[in-house]
Amino acid sequence: MSVGELHHLDYLNENELMEMDTFIHRIDSTEVIYQPRRKRAKLIGKYLMGDLLGEGSYGKVKEMLDSETLCRRAVKILKKKKLRRIPNGEANVKKEIQLLRRLQHKNVIQLVDVLYNEEKQKIYPCSVN
């Protein structure tokens, strides 16, 4: 590329354009350091979403923080669309929620809350150990 082709850089004189060769240099892609974007805090009801704990055939399990009591909870995020693909998926989840509401044992998780998001078609059963 000649200096004549750089007419849109008319605010730089010819000497400055020649010095740009030393300013702009090629680097290997392994030398580039990428900084991941910070995620925005997601608040669902009174719960603040946290990190992913696990993933299964029915959905994802994430950590949540109860903003009122500051207790850590686990939430299973279930998508209705995904449940419909699994035979008896929706019925199994409804049965699991009913059972967990009635069960109270030290070795079984306790169901604290169930949230529905009709817009996103998601179910959020919140539990505590």
Side-chain angles (χ1 to χ4, degrees):
M1 188 180 290
S2 71
V3 178
E5 293 174 11
L6 296 174
H7 63 279
H8 64 279
L9 294 176
D10 57 354
Y11 59 91
L12 296 175
N13 65 36
E14 218 171 296
N15 289 336
E16 290 173 324
L17 284 174
M18 295 303 168
E19 290 172 2
M20 282 183 72
D21 279 344
T22 58
F23 175 71
I24 299 173
H25 60 279
R26 185 174 280 251
I27 61 169
D28 191 37
S29 62
T30 58
E31 296 176 32
V32 177
I33 300 170
Y34 296 99
Q35 293 183 349
R37 286 185 167 185
R38 289 189 65 155
K39 290 184 179 179
R40 288 182 148 200
K42 187 186 268 188
L43 200 63
I44 297 174
K46 64 177 185 172
Y47 300 101
L48 180 68
M49 280 288 205
D51 293 333
L52 181 72
L53 298 176
E55 197 168 348
S57 60
Y58 279 74
K60 296 178 183 178
V61 177
K62 288 191 174 187
E63 183 180 19
M64 288 183 115
L65 182 69
D66 187 331
S67 62
E68 293 175 356
T69 63
L70 298 180
C71 290
R72 289 171 52 199
R73 307 270 189 235
V75 63
K76 190 187 290 187
I77 302 169
L78 308 166
K79 293 183 181 179
K80 283 191 174 186
K81 189 176 182 181
K82 196 171 190 179
L83 290 177
R84 288 185 190 120
R85 287 190 226 140
I86 300 170
N88 301 321
E90 286 184 87
N92 290 346
V93 169
K94 286 179 183 177
K95 199 177 292 183
E96 180 183 357
I97 290 170
Q98 288 172 350
L99 285 171
L100 286 174
R101 280 193 173 139
R102 289 189 289 163
L103 275 174
Q104 288 189 350
H105 190 274
K106 64 179 183 174
N107 295 334
V108 179
I109 61 168
Q110 179 188 351
L111 185 66
V112 176
D113 206 353
V114 179
L115 305 170
Y116 298 97
N117 185 334
E118 290 299 325
E119 183 182 323
K120 291 188 176 183
Q121 294 288 301
K122 288 185 181 180
I123 304 169
Y124 301 94
C126 305
S127 307
V128 66
N129 285 358

mmCIF file of all heavy atoms in Angstrom, residues 23-69:
data_model
loop_
_atom_site.group_PDB
_atom_site.id
_atom_site.type_symbol
_atom_site.label_atom_id
_atom_site.label_comp_id
_atom_site.label_asym_id
_atom_site.label_seq_id
_atom_site.Cartn_x
_atom_site.Cartn_y
_atom_site.Cartn_z
ATOM 1 N N PHE A 23 5.342 0.825 14.508
ATOM 2 C CA PHE A 23 4.285 0.811 15.515
ATOM 3 C C PHE A 23 3.362 -0.400 15.340
ATOM 4 O O PHE A 23 3.009 -1.063 16.297
ATOM 5 C CB PHE A 23 3.479 2.112 15.429
ATOM 6 C CG PHE A 23 2.298 2.134 16.352
ATOM 7 C CD1 PHE A 23 2.475 2.248 17.716
ATOM 8 C CD2 PHE A 23 1.011 2.021 15.852
ATOM 9 C CE1 PHE A 23 1.390 2.253 18.567
ATOM 10 C CE2 PHE A 23 -0.079 2.035 16.694
ATOM 11 C CZ PHE A 23 0.107 2.150 18.062
ATOM 12 N N ILE A 24 2.981 -0.689 14.106
ATOM 13 C CA ILE A 24 2.085 -1.805 13.827
ATOM 14 C C ILE A 24 2.933 -3.007 13.469
ATOM 15 O O ILE A 24 3.711 -2.976 12.525
ATOM 16 C CB ILE A 24 1.130 -1.461 12.661
ATOM 17 C CG1 ILE A 24 0.273 -0.255 13.031
ATOM 18 C CG2 ILE A 24 0.261 -2.658 12.321
ATOM 19 C CD1 ILE A 24 -0.574 0.265 11.900
ATOM 20 N N HIS A 25 2.781 -4.070 14.247
ATOM 21 C CA HIS A 25 3.522 -5.288 13.947
ATOM 22 C C HIS A 25 2.617 -6.494 14.154
ATOM 23 O O HIS A 25 1.642 -6.440 14.891
ATOM 24 C CB HIS A 25 4.792 -5.392 14.804
ATOM 25 C CG HIS A 25 4.519 -5.421 16.267
ATOM 26 N ND1 HIS A 25 4.280 -4.279 16.995
ATOM 27 C CD2 HIS A 25 4.428 -6.452 17.137
ATOM 28 C CE1 HIS A 25 4.065 -4.609 18.263
ATOM 29 N NE2 HIS A 25 4.141 -5.919 18.369
ATOM 30 N N ARG A 26 2.967 -7.555 13.503
ATOM 31 C CA ARG A 26 2.179 -8.784 13.521
ATOM 32 C C ARG A 26 2.577 -9.621 14.737
ATOM 33 O O ARG A 26 3.753 -9.743 15.059
ATOM 34 C CB ARG A 26 2.451 -9.560 12.238
ATOM 35 C CG ARG A 26 1.622 -10.780 12.046
ATOM 36 C CD ARG A 26 1.903 -11.338 10.679
ATOM 37 N NE ARG A 26 1.152 -10.578 9.702
ATOM 38 C CZ ARG A 26 0.103 -11.060 9.044
ATOM 39 N NH1 ARG A 26 -0.272 -12.293 9.239
ATOM 40 N NH2 ARG A 26 -0.544 -10.334 8.180
ATOM 41 N N ILE A 27 1.550 -10.194 15.417
ATOM 42 C CA ILE A 27 1.824 -11.097 16.534
ATOM 43 C C ILE A 27 1.098 -12.413 16.303
ATOM 44 O O ILE A 27 0.119 -12.480 15.563
ATOM 45 C CB ILE A 27 1.412 -10.493 17.897
ATOM 46 C CG1 ILE A 27 -0.089 -10.216 17.926
ATOM 47 C CG2 ILE A 27 2.201 -9.251 18.218
ATOM 48 C CD1 ILE A 27 -0.601 -9.877 19.308
ATOM 49 N N ASP A 28 1.559 -13.450 16.962
ATOM 50 C CA ASP A 28 0.942 -14.765 16.863
ATOM 51 C C ASP A 28 -0.334 -14.787 17.714
ATOM 52 O O ASP A 28 -0.414 -14.133 18.750
ATOM 53 C CB ASP A 28 1.926 -15.822 17.360
ATOM 54 C CG ASP A 28 1.453 -17.217 17.046
ATOM 55 O OD1 ASP A 28 0.872 -17.435 15.963
ATOM 56 O OD2 ASP A 28 1.658 -18.104 17.888
ATOM 57 N N SER A 29 -1.323 -15.540 17.283
ATOM 58 C CA SER A 29 -2.600 -15.584 18.007
ATOM 59 C C SER A 29 -2.441 -16.188 19.403
ATOM 60 O O SER A 29 -3.268 -15.950 20.280
ATOM 61 C CB SER A 29 -3.639 -16.357 17.217
ATOM 62 O OG SER A 29 -3.221 -17.692 17.046
ATOM 63 N N THR A 30 -1.374 -16.981 19.638
ATOM 64 C CA THR A 30 -1.155 -17.551 20.975
ATOM 65 C C THR A 30 -0.705 -16.486 21.968
ATOM 66 O O THR A 30 -0.789 -16.694 23.174
ATOM 67 C CB THR A 30 -0.106 -18.671 20.919
ATOM 68 O OG1 THR A 30 1.103 -18.133 20.384
ATOM 69 C CG2 THR A 30 -0.589 -19.839 20.082
ATOM 70 N N GLU A 31 -0.237 -15.342 21.470
ATOM 71 C CA GLU A 31 0.213 -14.266 22.354
ATOM 72 C C GLU A 31 -0.930 -13.349 22.786
ATOM 73 O O GLU A 31 -0.761 -12.525 23.669
ATOM 74 C CB GLU A 31 1.276 -13.419 21.647
ATOM 75 C CG GLU A 31 2.540 -14.182 21.326
ATOM 76 C CD GLU A 31 3.524 -13.333 20.536
ATOM 77 O OE1 GLU A 31 3.549 -12.103 20.737
ATOM 78 O OE2 GLU A 31 4.264 -13.903 19.718
ATOM 79 N N VAL A 32 -2.080 -13.505 22.164
ATOM 80 C CA VAL A 32 -3.222 -12.652 22.495
ATOM 81 C C VAL A 32 -3.869 -13.161 23.778
ATOM 82 O O VAL A 32 -4.154 -14.344 23.920
ATOM 83 C CB VAL A 32 -4.260 -12.641 21.347
ATOM 84 C CG1 VAL A 32 -5.475 -11.809 21.717
ATOM 85 C CG2 VAL A 32 -3.625 -12.123 20.078
ATOM 86 N N ILE A 33 -4.099 -12.278 24.713
ATOM 87 C CA ILE A 33 -4.736 -12.637 25.979
ATOM 88 C C ILE A 33 -6.189 -12.173 25.915
ATOM 89 O O ILE A 33 -6.465 -10.988 25.768
ATOM 90 C CB ILE A 33 -4.020 -11.974 27.166
ATOM 91 C CG1 ILE A 33 -2.558 -12.437 27.220
ATOM 92 C CG2 ILE A 33 -4.739 -12.276 28.464
ATOM 93 C CD1 ILE A 33 -1.719 -11.674 28.201
ATOM 94 N N TYR A 34 -7.084 -13.139 26.014
ATOM 95 C CA TYR A 34 -8.507 -12.822 25.980
ATOM 96 C C TYR A 34 -9.032 -12.718 27.399
ATOM 97 O O TYR A 34 -8.755 -13.569 28.229
ATOM 98 C CB TYR A 34 -9.298 -13.901 25.234
ATOM 99 C CG TYR A 34 -8.933 -14.006 23.780
ATOM 100 C CD1 TYR A 34 -8.060 -14.980 23.320
ATOM 101 C CD2 TYR A 34 -9.471 -13.113 22.865
ATOM 102 C CE1 TYR A 34 -7.731 -15.068 21.983
ATOM 103 C CE2 TYR A 34 -9.141 -13.196 21.526
ATOM 104 C CZ TYR A 34 -8.272 -14.173 21.095
ATOM 105 O OH TYR A 34 -7.949 -14.255 19.769
ATOM 106 N N GLN A 35 -9.770 -11.680 27.676
ATOM 107 C CA GLN A 35 -10.392 -11.537 28.981
ATOM 108 C C GLN A 35 -11.878 -11.829 28.828
ATOM 109 O O GLN A 35 -12.566 -11.151 28.061
ATOM 110 C CB GLN A 35 -10.185 -10.133 29.530
ATOM 111 C CG GLN A 35 -8.740 -9.854 29.860
ATOM 112 C CD GLN A 35 -8.557 -8.478 30.473
ATOM 113 O OE1 GLN A 35 -9.462 -7.666 30.461
ATOM 114 N NE2 GLN A 35 -7.396 -8.233 31.010
ATOM 115 N N PRO A 36 -12.367 -12.853 29.555
ATOM 116 C CA PRO A 36 -13.785 -13.178 29.424
ATOM 117 C C PRO A 36 -14.659 -12.047 29.961
ATOM 118 O O PRO A 36 -14.260 -11.335 30.889
ATOM 119 C CB PRO A 36 -13.947 -14.439 30.276
ATOM 120 C CG PRO A 36 -12.785 -14.431 31.204
ATOM 121 C CD PRO A 36 -11.676 -13.685 30.516
ATOM 122 N N ARG A 37 -15.818 -11.888 29.345
ATOM 123 C CA ARG A 37 -16.751 -10.861 29.797
ATOM 124 C C ARG A 37 -17.329 -11.250 31.145
ATOM 125 O O ARG A 37 -17.601 -12.418 31.386
ATOM 126 C CB ARG A 37 -17.900 -10.710 28.809
ATOM 127 C CG ARG A 37 -17.529 -10.019 27.556
ATOM 128 C CD ARG A 37 -18.774 -9.829 26.743
ATOM 129 N NE ARG A 37 -18.525 -8.895 25.667
ATOM 130 C CZ ARG A 37 -19.442 -8.466 24.853
ATOM 131 N NH1 ARG A 37 -20.684 -8.885 24.979
ATOM 132 N NH2 ARG A 37 -19.149 -7.624 23.899
ATOM 133 N N ARG A 38 -17.535 -10.261 31.970
ATOM 134 C CA ARG A 38 -18.177 -10.523 33.255
ATOM 135 C C ARG A 38 -19.668 -10.714 33.025
ATOM 136 O O ARG A 38 -20.295 -9.954 32.310
ATOM 137 C CB ARG A 38 -17.957 -9.355 34.205
ATOM 138 C CG ARG A 38 -16.511 -9.276 34.672
ATOM 139 C CD ARG A 38 -16.391 -8.276 35.744
ATOM 140 N NE ARG A 38 -17.172 -8.775 36.888
ATOM 141 C CZ ARG A 38 -16.931 -8.424 38.126
ATOM 142 N NH1 ARG A 38 -15.989 -7.598 38.395
ATOM 143 N NH2 ARG A 38 -17.673 -8.890 39.106
ATOM 144 N N LYS A 39 -20.192 -11.742 33.647
ATOM 145 C CA LYS A 39 -21.613 -12.024 33.503
ATOM 146 C C LYS A 39 -22.406 -11.099 34.409
ATOM 147 O O LYS A 39 -21.979 -10.774 35.514
ATOM 148 C CB LYS A 39 -21.911 -13.470 33.878
ATOM 149 C CG LYS A 39 -21.371 -14.466 32.891
ATOM 150 C CD LYS A 39 -21.799 -15.859 33.277
ATOM 151 C CE LYS A 39 -21.274 -16.867 32.288
ATOM 152 N NZ LYS A 39 -21.660 -18.224 32.659
ATOM 153 N N ARG A 40 -23.567 -10.690 33.923
ATOM 154 C CA ARG A 40 -24.459 -9.884 34.740
ATOM 155 C C ARG A 40 -25.143 -10.781 35.758
ATOM 156 O O ARG A 40 -25.445 -11.942 35.475
ATOM 157 C CB ARG A 40 -25.527 -9.229 33.874
ATOM 158 C CG ARG A 40 -25.007 -8.127 33.022
ATOM 159 C CD ARG A 40 -26.142 -7.524 32.266
ATOM 160 N NE ARG A 40 -25.872 -6.119 32.071
ATOM 161 C CZ ARG A 40 -26.779 -5.234 31.790
ATOM 162 N NH1 ARG A 40 -28.032 -5.590 31.679
ATOM 163 N NH2 ARG A 40 -26.457 -3.983 31.607
ATOM 164 N N ALA A 41 -25.430 -10.238 36.914
ATOM 165 C CA ALA A 41 -26.140 -10.986 37.941
ATOM 166 C C ALA A 41 -27.570 -11.214 37.484
ATOM 167 O O ALA A 41 -28.243 -10.295 37.040
ATOM 168 C CB ALA A 41 -26.113 -10.219 39.251
ATOM 169 N N LYS A 42 -28.024 -12.453 37.570
ATOM 170 C CA LYS A 42 -29.385 -12.784 37.151
ATOM 171 C C LYS A 42 -30.210 -13.071 38.397
ATOM 172 O O LYS A 42 -29.871 -13.941 39.192
ATOM 173 C CB LYS A 42 -29.363 -13.997 36.237
ATOM 174 C CG LYS A 42 -30.722 -14.315 35.623
ATOM 175 C CD LYS A 42 -30.682 -15.602 34.838
ATOM 176 C CE LYS A 42 -30.372 -15.324 33.392
ATOM 177 N NZ LYS A 42 -30.505 -16.535 32.567
ATOM 178 N N LEU A 43 -31.275 -12.320 38.567
ATOM 179 C CA LEU A 43 -32.156 -12.456 39.710
ATOM 180 C C LEU A 43 -33.463 -13.081 39.238
ATOM 181 O O LEU A 43 -34.122 -12.561 38.352
ATOM 182 C CB LEU A 43 -32.412 -11.074 40.328
ATOM 183 C CG LEU A 43 -32.911 -11.035 41.753
ATOM 184 C CD1 LEU A 43 -31.894 -11.632 42.709
ATOM 185 C CD2 LEU A 43 -33.225 -9.610 42.161
ATOM 186 N N ILE A 44 -33.814 -14.220 39.830
ATOM 187 C CA ILE A 44 -35.073 -14.894 39.519
ATOM 188 C C ILE A 44 -35.858 -14.981 40.816
ATOM 189 O O ILE A 44 -35.469 -15.697 41.740
ATOM 190 C CB ILE A 44 -34.834 -16.292 38.926
ATOM 191 C CG1 ILE A 44 -34.089 -16.164 37.608
ATOM 192 C CG2 ILE A 44 -36.149 -17.032 38.748
ATOM 193 C CD1 ILE A 44 -33.683 -17.456 36.998
ATOM 194 N N GLY A 45 -36.950 -14.226 40.873
ATOM 195 C CA GLY A 45 -37.697 -14.136 42.122
ATOM 196 C C GLY A 45 -36.818 -13.483 43.171
ATOM 197 O O GLY A 45 -36.252 -12.421 42.941
ATOM 198 N N LYS A 46 -36.649 -14.147 44.285
ATOM 199 C CA LYS A 46 -35.768 -13.627 45.339
ATOM 200 C C LYS A 46 -34.401 -14.306 45.328
ATOM 201 O O LYS A 46 -33.606 -14.138 46.239
ATOM 202 C CB LYS A 46 -36.432 -13.802 46.705
ATOM 203 C CG LYS A 46 -36.649 -15.249 47.118
ATOM 204 C CD LYS A 46 -37.237 -15.344 48.507
ATOM 205 C CE LYS A 46 -37.327 -16.796 48.937
ATOM 206 N NZ LYS A 46 -37.707 -16.930 50.323
ATOM 207 N N TYR A 47 -34.113 -15.072 44.274
ATOM 208 C CA TYR A 47 -32.882 -15.845 44.202
ATOM 209 C C TYR A 47 -31.903 -15.250 43.191
ATOM 210 O O TYR A 47 -32.284 -14.867 42.088
ATOM 211 C CB TYR A 47 -33.185 -17.291 43.815
ATOM 212 C CG TYR A 47 -34.093 -17.983 44.798
ATOM 213 C CD1 TYR A 47 -35.440 -18.149 44.536
ATOM 214 C CD2 TYR A 47 -33.604 -18.457 46.009
ATOM 215 C CE1 TYR A 47 -36.281 -18.779 45.433
ATOM 216 C CE2 TYR A 47 -34.428 -19.076 46.917
ATOM 217 C CZ TYR A 47 -35.767 -19.231 46.628
ATOM 218 O OH TYR A 47 -36.590 -19.845 47.531
ATOM 219 N N LEU A 48 -30.626 -15.221 43.570
ATOM 220 C CA LEU A 48 -29.549 -14.752 42.713
ATOM 221 C C LEU A 48 -28.847 -15.975 42.139
ATOM 222 O O LEU A 48 -28.369 -16.829 42.892
ATOM 223 C CB LEU A 48 -28.564 -13.906 43.521
ATOM 224 C CG LEU A 48 -27.375 -13.336 42.776
ATOM 225 C CD1 LEU A 48 -27.841 -12.286 41.775
ATOM 226 C CD2 LEU A 48 -26.389 -12.729 43.753
ATOM 227 N N MET A 49 -28.805 -16.069 40.808
ATOM 228 C CA MET A 49 -28.202 -17.226 40.133
ATOM 229 C C MET A 49 -26.701 -17.269 40.339
ATOM 230 O O MET A 49 -26.045 -16.240 40.340
ATOM 231 C CB MET A 49 -28.470 -17.168 38.631
ATOM 232 C CG MET A 49 -29.807 -17.632 38.228
ATOM 233 S SD MET A 49 -29.885 -19.397 38.413
ATOM 234 C CE MET A 49 -31.139 -19.742 37.252
ATOM 235 N N GLY A 50 -26.183 -18.476 40.462
ATOM 236 C CA GLY A 50 -24.750 -18.672 40.637
ATOM 237 C C GLY A 50 -24.177 -19.565 39.552
ATOM 238 O O GLY A 50 -24.672 -19.618 38.429
ATOM 239 N N ASP A 51 -23.138 -20.304 39.900
ATOM 240 C CA ASP A 51 -22.419 -21.141 38.945
ATOM 241 C C ASP A 51 -23.144 -22.453 38.655
ATOM 242 O O ASP A 51 -23.967 -22.915 39.439
ATOM 243 C CB ASP A 51 -21.021 -21.472 39.485
ATOM 244 C CG ASP A 51 -20.128 -20.259 39.566
ATOM 245 O OD1 ASP A 51 -20.346 -19.322 38.781
ATOM 246 O OD2 ASP A 51 -19.220 -20.247 40.419
ATOM 247 N N LEU A 52 -22.778 -23.052 37.539
ATOM 248 C CA LEU A 52 -23.309 -24.343 37.145
ATOM 249 C C LEU A 52 -22.683 -25.423 38.022
ATOM 250 O O LEU A 52 -21.458 -25.488 38.173
ATOM 251 C CB LEU A 52 -22.985 -24.603 35.666
ATOM 252 C CG LEU A 52 -23.483 -25.902 35.073
ATOM 253 C CD1 LEU A 52 -24.992 -25.857 34.892
ATOM 254 C CD2 LEU A 52 -22.814 -26.158 33.738
ATOM 255 N N LEU A 53 -23.518 -26.276 38.621
ATOM 256 C CA LEU A 53 -23.031 -27.375 39.454
ATOM 257 C C LEU A 53 -23.001 -28.691 38.692
ATOM 258 O O LEU A 53 -22.150 -29.536 38.938
ATOM 259 C CB LEU A 53 -23.911 -27.523 40.701
ATOM 260 C CG LEU A 53 -23.959 -26.333 41.647
ATOM 261 C CD1 LEU A 53 -24.951 -26.585 42.771
ATOM 262 C CD2 LEU A 53 -22.583 -26.044 42.215
ATOM 263 N N GLY A 54 -23.952 -28.859 37.778
ATOM 264 C CA GLY A 54 -24.007 -30.099 37.019
ATOM 265 C C GLY A 54 -25.053 -30.025 35.927
ATOM 266 O O GLY A 54 -25.816 -29.073 35.834
ATOM 267 N N GLU A 55 -25.081 -31.080 35.112
ATOM 268 C CA GLU A 55 -26.025 -31.121 33.997
ATOM 269 C C GLU A 55 -26.441 -32.564 33.786
ATOM 270 O O GLU A 55 -25.620 -33.470 33.854
ATOM 271 C CB GLU A 55 -25.350 -30.567 32.742
ATOM 272 C CG GLU A 55 -26.299 -30.196 31.669
ATOM 273 C CD GLU A 55 -25.634 -29.380 30.567
ATOM 274 O OE1 GLU A 55 -24.499 -28.913 30.742
ATOM 275 O OE2 GLU A 55 -26.288 -29.229 29.524
ATOM 276 N N GLY A 56 -27.742 -32.762 33.562
ATOM 277 C CA GLY A 56 -28.266 -34.102 33.343
ATOM 278 C C GLY A 56 -29.190 -34.130 32.155
ATOM 279 O O GLY A 56 -29.288 -33.167 31.393
ATOM 280 N N SER A 57 -29.903 -35.252 31.991
ATOM 281 C CA SER A 57 -30.789 -35.401 30.833
ATOM 282 C C SER A 57 -32.017 -34.507 30.947
ATOM 283 O O SER A 57 -32.597 -34.120 29.946
ATOM 284 C CB SER A 57 -31.206 -36.863 30.683
ATOM 285 O OG SER A 57 -31.887 -37.292 31.843
ATOM 286 N N TYR A 58 -32.430 -34.183 32.158
ATOM 287 C CA TYR A 58 -33.607 -33.343 32.343
ATOM 288 C C TYR A 58 -33.289 -31.857 32.313
ATOM 289 O O TYR A 58 -34.118 -31.045 31.940
ATOM 290 C CB TYR A 58 -34.293 -33.676 33.677
ATOM 291 C CG TYR A 58 -35.174 -34.901 33.604
ATOM 292 C CD1 TYR A 58 -34.635 -36.166 33.538
ATOM 293 C CD2 TYR A 58 -36.543 -34.770 33.584
ATOM 294 C CE1 TYR A 58 -35.443 -37.284 33.468
ATOM 295 C CE2 TYR A 58 -37.375 -35.880 33.520
ATOM 296 C CZ TYR A 58 -36.812 -37.138 33.464
ATOM 297 O OH TYR A 58 -37.617 -38.237 33.380
ATOM 298 N N GLY A 59 -32.108 -31.465 32.759
ATOM 299 C CA GLY A 59 -31.757 -30.049 32.768
ATOM 300 C C GLY A 59 -30.449 -29.783 33.483
ATOM 301 O O GLY A 59 -29.666 -30.692 33.748
ATOM 302 N N LYS A 60 -30.246 -28.519 33.841
ATOM 303 C CA LYS A 60 -29.026 -28.077 34.521
ATOM 304 C C LYS A 60 -29.300 -27.851 35.999
ATOM 305 O O LYS A 60 -30.413 -27.513 36.385
ATOM 306 C CB LYS A 60 -28.534 -26.759 33.928
ATOM 307 C CG LYS A 60 -28.110 -26.830 32.498
ATOM 308 C CD LYS A 60 -27.690 -25.464 32.003
ATOM 309 C CE LYS A 60 -27.331 -25.527 30.536
ATOM 310 N NZ LYS A 60 -26.958 -24.224 30.013
ATOM 311 N N VAL A 61 -28.252 -28.006 36.814
ATOM 312 C CA VAL A 61 -28.338 -27.690 38.236
ATOM 313 C C VAL A 61 -27.364 -26.555 38.508
ATOM 314 O O VAL A 61 -26.189 -26.646 38.169
ATOM 315 C CB VAL A 61 -27.994 -28.910 39.120
ATOM 316 C CG1 VAL A 61 -28.031 -28.537 40.591
ATOM 317 C CG2 VAL A 61 -28.945 -30.048 38.841
ATOM 318 N N LYS A 62 -27.892 -25.462 39.061
ATOM 319 C CA LYS A 62 -27.067 -24.301 39.376
ATOM 320 C C LYS A 62 -27.191 -23.954 40.847
ATOM 321 O O LYS A 62 -28.165 -24.303 41.501
ATOM 322 C CB LYS A 62 -27.500 -23.090 38.537
ATOM 323 C CG LYS A 62 -27.118 -23.189 37.084
ATOM 324 C CD LYS A 62 -27.330 -21.882 36.377
ATOM 325 C CE LYS A 62 -26.803 -21.944 34.955
ATOM 326 N NZ LYS A 62 -26.846 -20.638 34.323
ATOM 327 N N GLU A 63 -26.188 -23.242 41.314
ATOM 328 C CA GLU A 63 -26.205 -22.736 42.685
ATOM 329 C C GLU A 63 -26.977 -21.420 42.690
ATOM 330 O O GLU A 63 -26.885 -20.637 41.752
ATOM 331 C CB GLU A 63 -24.775 -22.503 43.155
ATOM 332 C CG GLU A 63 -24.664 -22.058 44.581
ATOM 333 C CD GLU A 63 -23.225 -21.851 45.004
ATOM 334 O OE1 GLU A 63 -22.347 -21.697 44.138
ATOM 335 O OE2 GLU A 63 -22.993 -21.842 46.214
ATOM 336 N N MET A 64 -27.752 -21.187 43.760
ATOM 337 C CA MET A 64 -28.501 -19.930 43.910
ATOM 338 C C MET A 64 -28.296 -19.418 45.322
ATOM 339 O O MET A 64 -28.007 -20.180 46.236
ATOM 340 C CB MET A 64 -29.990 -20.151 43.685
ATOM 341 C CG MET A 64 -30.379 -20.407 42.282
ATOM 342 S SD MET A 64 -32.156 -20.545 42.165
ATOM 343 C CE MET A 64 -32.531 -19.147 41.176
ATOM 344 N N LEU A 65 -28.485 -18.126 45.465
ATOM 345 C CA LEU A 65 -28.394 -17.499 46.776
ATOM 346 C C LEU A 65 -29.735 -16.851 47.078
ATOM 347 O O LEU A 65 -30.233 -16.051 46.286
ATOM 348 C CB LEU A 65 -27.278 -16.441 46.778
ATOM 349 C CG LEU A 65 -27.025 -15.742 48.101
ATOM 350 C CD1 LEU A 65 -26.418 -16.707 49.111
ATOM 351 C CD2 LEU A 65 -26.119 -14.556 47.900
ATOM 352 N N ASP A 66 -30.320 -17.214 48.234
ATOM 353 C CA ASP A 66 -31.574 -16.613 48.669
ATOM 354 C C ASP A 66 -31.246 -15.206 49.158
ATOM 355 O O ASP A 66 -30.495 -15.032 50.121
ATOM 356 C CB ASP A 66 -32.187 -17.449 49.788
ATOM 357 C CG ASP A 66 -33.570 -16.989 50.185
ATOM 358 O OD1 ASP A 66 -33.869 -15.794 50.050
ATOM 359 O OD2 ASP A 66 -34.351 -17.845 50.649
ATOM 360 N N SER A 67 -31.783 -14.199 48.504
ATOM 361 C CA SER A 67 -31.432 -12.814 48.827
ATOM 362 C C SER A 67 -32.013 -12.356 50.161
ATOM 363 O O SER A 67 -31.549 -11.372 50.729
ATOM 364 C CB SER A 67 -31.884 -11.875 47.712
ATOM 365 O OG SER A 67 -33.280 -11.917 47.576
ATOM 366 N N GLU A 68 -33.014 -13.055 50.688
ATOM 367 C CA GLU A 68 -33.599 -12.675 51.976
ATOM 368 C C GLU A 68 -32.845 -13.296 53.150
ATOM 369 O O GLU A 68 -32.554 -12.633 54.132
ATOM 370 C CB GLU A 68 -35.074 -13.085 52.022
ATOM 371 C CG GLU A 68 -35.932 -12.303 51.054
ATOM 372 C CD GLU A 68 -37.366 -12.808 51.018
ATOM 373 O OE1 GLU A 68 -37.685 -13.810 51.695
ATOM 374 O OE2 GLU A 68 -38.168 -12.190 50.305
ATOM 375 N N THR A 69 -32.529 -14.592 53.043
ATOM 376 C CA THR A 69 -31.878 -15.297 54.154
ATOM 377 C C THR A 69 -30.378 -15.493 53.931
ATOM 378 O O THR A 69 -29.689 -15.945 54.846
ATOM 379 C CB THR A 69 -32.522 -16.673 54.358
ATOM 380 O OG1 THR A 69 -32.318 -17.465 53.177
ATOM 381 C CG2 THR A 69 -33.999 -16.554 54.648
#
